[in-house]
Amino acid sequence: MKPYVLIAEDEKAVSELLLYNLRKEDYDVGVAMDGEETLMMIDERTPDLLLLDWMLPKVSGIEICRRVRTGGANPNLPIIMLTARGEESDRIRGLDTGADDYVTKPFSTTELMARVRAVLRRIRPGLKEDRITVGDIEIDRVAHRVTRQGDDIHLGPTEFRLLDYFMQHPGRVFSREQLLDTVWGSDVYVEARTVDVHVGRLRKALRNAGGDDPIRTVRSAGYALRED
Amino acid sequence: MKPYVLIAEDEKAVSELLLYNLRKEDYDVGVAMDGEETLMMIDERTPDLLLLDWMLPKVSGIEICRRVRTGGANPNLPIIMLTARGEESDRIRGLDTGADDYVTKPFSTTELMARVRAVLRRIRPGLKEDRITVGDIEIDRVAHRVTRQGDDIHLGPTEFRLLDYFMQHPGRVFSREQLLDTVWGSDVYVEARTVDVHVGRLRKALRNAGGDDPIRTVRSAGYALRED
DNA sequence: CCGATTTGTCACATAACCGTCGCAGGCAGC
DNA sequence: GCTGCCTGCGACGGTTATGTGACAAATCGG
């Protein structure tokens, strides 16, 4: 089953961002807006991971953290703490109370997602790797590196995300619209043909490392990564 | 039984497009033109999936979403939300209220159908596979690939759709008119004999992968795929 | 604020595909 | 076997989708 991630965050802007990104990475997601609700929702269905805001109305994040660790039915529940920048000592107290990781706001979504994966992988090994290999291409999302037959490949941010997405679903054909939605983000509007250009750039970069074109064009449908 | 899909959409152009395509994929389809009607129709017969427009007269899409999730007899009713491009925060609120997926208008029909399948497959596994095998021919709609006895077969878009349609109904004979309607679409006007040419091309492509002709000509009636 | 990198769009060339035609051959009924 | 329809298929002109170099705007990192 999909891992269940509970977001405990009162700022709607933040929780929505998290919600959106976690859904995109195919998790089950719940949102709690204050401390009480968080505790209730944990009781209802034990999450596989708790994203916990430091400052939470009614019952603070650190208090929740403590209660979970000492009190409840699941003292090993993984927790990633979200703190505002500059609360350094708080941060440490956060780890002290037993959070598995902490992230300062504002945070990079990519980085947070990587940490989420990292924590979840501890619980469920082989869940969503930080490294994927398809054929002779390997991508390392943490180190942000791509190699082909050992050679390093430099990619721009967009090409990187594009390849990343392809490698998560090898063989599958994506329309330009789908790619725009997921790789670019659903909130940007760019021409569909832009995808072509970036696929072209990705191709050229991959070609430079030798071997033949690993991206398949499916006329009138989109692009796909060859799956061997 | 066929899955029942309810369309809640007030723009006639959109709802008819959906209706047409869903029928083509062999679903039972209902159409509601505003929010009230939608709620009524849900009560009458529980759909397997609700395609819900964001902006709906009388009772808005989001309100319906909320009521279904919280109130009714079937809080797990799968919902795909339709939103206009640019309503980004709305979109996220859509997910927040519990839609299973969302699609922005204007949308690609192919993509929407894929999502419909994806959502329905969650409910009824093995419903409409992304892969079909008939005899020694296999078609993979997600990867957009056709193989025969392991060999890859390259088909143009039209031949692909044609074979896809045949494979959904092996053995059945289709007239040229039926094929034009479904494979080409009811809105294009081309000569009936065009079908012959494409069937010919499909045949040639399949022949190249060995084996004998899997398409049967029924004189003065049409064509059919042999079902062994 | 500057240089370097990246990005989105355009224009153009090319390749892939489409629909139609024409004709050769096949099929059924007589 | 003959006749009148039907079908298979190669050829062809027109259309559409895709690949790619160029470029200006945007962004990043100092």
Side-chain angles (χ1 to χ4, degrees):
Chain A
M1 233 358 255
K2 284 194 247 181
Y4 173 47
V5 179
L6 181 58
I7 303 170
E9 167 65 64
D10 59 316
E11 286 175 69
K12 204 135 176 55
V14 179
S15 67
E16 279 178 359
L17 180 68
L18 292 173
L19 180 67
Y20 177 74
N21 281 288
L22 290 167
R23 282 248 165 88
K24 203 162 84 179
E25 297 235 354
D26 210 38
Y27 300 114
D28 264 350
V29 189
V31 180
M33 305 278 291
D34 61 52
E36 283 179 7
E37 198 182 351
T38 304
L39 291 169
M40 272 178 40
M41 288 185 73
I42 291 177
D43 271 349
E44 248 170 48
R45 176 181 172 193
T46 310
D48 296 288
L49 168 66
L50 178 59
L51 285 181
L52 183 59
D53 185 28
W54 181 256
M55 310 276 278
L56 215 50
K58 302 196 181 169
V59 184
S60 78
I62 190 171
E63 178 57 26
I64 290 183
C65 200
R66 182 153 36 218
R67 285 201 207 171
V68 167
R69 283 287 177 266
T70 60
N74 19 52
N76 294 321
L77 171 56
I79 297 178
I80 296 181
M81 193 76 94
L82 306 174
T83 81
R85 188 175 288 286
E87 304 175 323
E88 304 310 331
S89 61
D90 288 342
R91 232 194 233 179
I92 296 172
R93 270 197 286 154
L95 280 174
D96 198 29
T97 35
D100 295 79
D101 204 348
Y102 59 85
V103 172
T104 56
K105 292 192 281 195
F107 47 78
S108 130
T109 331
T110 324
E111 189 199 328
L112 180 57
M113 290 303 129
R115 300 213 192 177
V116 166
R117 281 196 300 276
V119 170
L120 284 177
R121 202 153 353 93
R122 256 182 259 155
I123 320 297
R124 308 197 189 182
L127 181 62
K128 193 158 199 190
E129 298 301 334
D130 285 332
R131 292 174 132 197
I132 312 178
T133 307
V134 175
D136 55 359
I137 303 173
E138 180 169 332
I139 189 168
D140 183 330
R141 303 149 106 165
V142 175
H144 244 261
R145 282 177 56 152
V146 177
T147 49
R148 183 171 195 186
Q149 296 168 355
D151 294 339
D152 252 331
I153 299 179
H154 173 81
L155 295 179
T158 306
E159 280 79 56
F160 184 86
R161 289 200 308 277
L162 187 59
L163 178 62
D164 183 27
Y165 189 57
F166 274 133
M167 292 190 69
Q168 283 178 54
H169 314 274
R172 186 165 169 170
V173 175
F174 296 102
S175 71
R176 289 159 227 281
E177 287 72 23
Q178 278 175 298
L179 291 172
L180 284 177
D181 250 29
T182 50
V183 175
W184 272 254
S186 50
D187 46 356
V188 288
Y189 180 73
V190 291
E191 294 291 323
R193 286 299 312 276
T194 299
V195 175
D196 294 20
V197 178
H198 282 276
V199 167
R201 287 170 182 159
L202 177 54
R203 271 175 166 151
K204 187 185 338 191
L206 293 172
R207 222 186 291 135
N208 283 340
D212 39 34
D213 186 1
I215 297 179
R216 190 162 56 100
T217 303
V218 181
R219 184 167 244 258
S220 83
Y223 299 96
L225 183 66
R226 283 187 222 281
E227 48 184 331
D228 38 331
Chain B
M1 230 1 255
K2 284 194 246 182
Y4 172 47
V5 179
L6 181 58
I7 303 169
E9 166 66 63
D10 59 316
E11 286 174 68
K12 206 139 175 54
V14 179
S15 67
E16 278 177 359
L17 179 68
L18 292 173
L19 182 67
Y20 175 75
N21 281 287
L22 289 167
R23 285 246 167 88
K24 198 163 88 180
E25 297 236 354
D26 211 37
Y27 300 114
D28 263 350
V29 190
V31 180
M33 305 279 290
D34 62 53
E36 284 179 6
E37 198 182 351
T38 305
L39 291 169
M40 273 177 40
M41 289 185 72
I42 291 177
D43 272 349
E44 251 170 46
R45 176 181 172 194
T46 310
D48 296 288
L49 168 66
L50 178 59
L51 285 181
L52 183 58
D53 185 27
W54 180 256
M55 309 275 277
L56 215 51
K58 303 195 181 169
V59 184
S60 79
I62 190 172
E63 179 56 27
I64 291 182
C65 200
R66 182 152 37 216
R67 286 201 207 170
V68 167
R69 284 286 177 266
T70 61
N74 20 52
N76 294 320
L77 171 56
I79 297 178
I80 296 181
M81 193 78 94
L82 306 174
T83 81
R85 191 177 282 286
E87 303 175 324
E88 304 313 329
S89 61
D90 287 342
R91 234 193 231 178
I92 295 172
R93 271 197 284 153
L95 281 173
D96 197 28
T97 36
D100 295 80
D101 204 348
Y102 59 84
V103 172
T104 56
K105 292 192 281 194
F107 48 76
S108 129
T109 332
T110 324
E111 192 199 326
L112 180 57
M113 290 303 128
R115 299 212 193 178
V116 166
R117 277 198 301 276
V119 170
L120 284 177
R121 200 149 356 92
R122 256 183 257 155
I123 319 297
R124 307 195 187 182
L127 179 63
K128 192 156 200 191
E129 294 304 330
D130 288 329
R131 292 176 133 192
I132 311 178
T133 307
V134 175
D136 55 358
I137 303 173
E138 179 168 333
I139 188 168
D140 182 331
R141 306 149 103 158
V142 172
H144 250 263
R145 285 179 122 201
V146 177
T147 48
R148 184 172 196 185
Q149 296 168 354
D151 292 340
D152 251 332
I153 299 179
H154 176 82
L155 296 180
T158 306
E159 280 80 57
F160 185 87
R161 289 199 308 276
L162 187 59
L163 177 62
D164 185 25
Y165 189 58
F166 275 133
M167 292 190 68
Q168 283 178 54
H169 315 274
R172 187 164 154 189
V173 178
F174 297 101
S175 71
R176 290 160 229 277
E177 286 71 24
Q178 279 176 298
L179 291 171
L180 283 177
D181 251 27
T182 50
V183 176
W184 273 255
S186 55
D187 46 355
V188 289
Y189 177 73
V190 291
E191 295 290 323
R193 287 299 313 275
T194 299
V195 175
D196 294 20
V197 179
H198 282 278
V199 168
R201 286 170 183 160
L202 178 54
R203 272 174 165 152
K204 180 169 12 175
L206 293 173
R207 223 187 292 133
N208 282 341
D212 39 33
D213 186 1
I215 296 178
R216 195 158 50 96
T217 303
V218 182
R219 199 181 165 83
S220 80
Y223 300 95
L225 182 67
R226 285 185 221 281
E227 46 183 330
D228 41 308

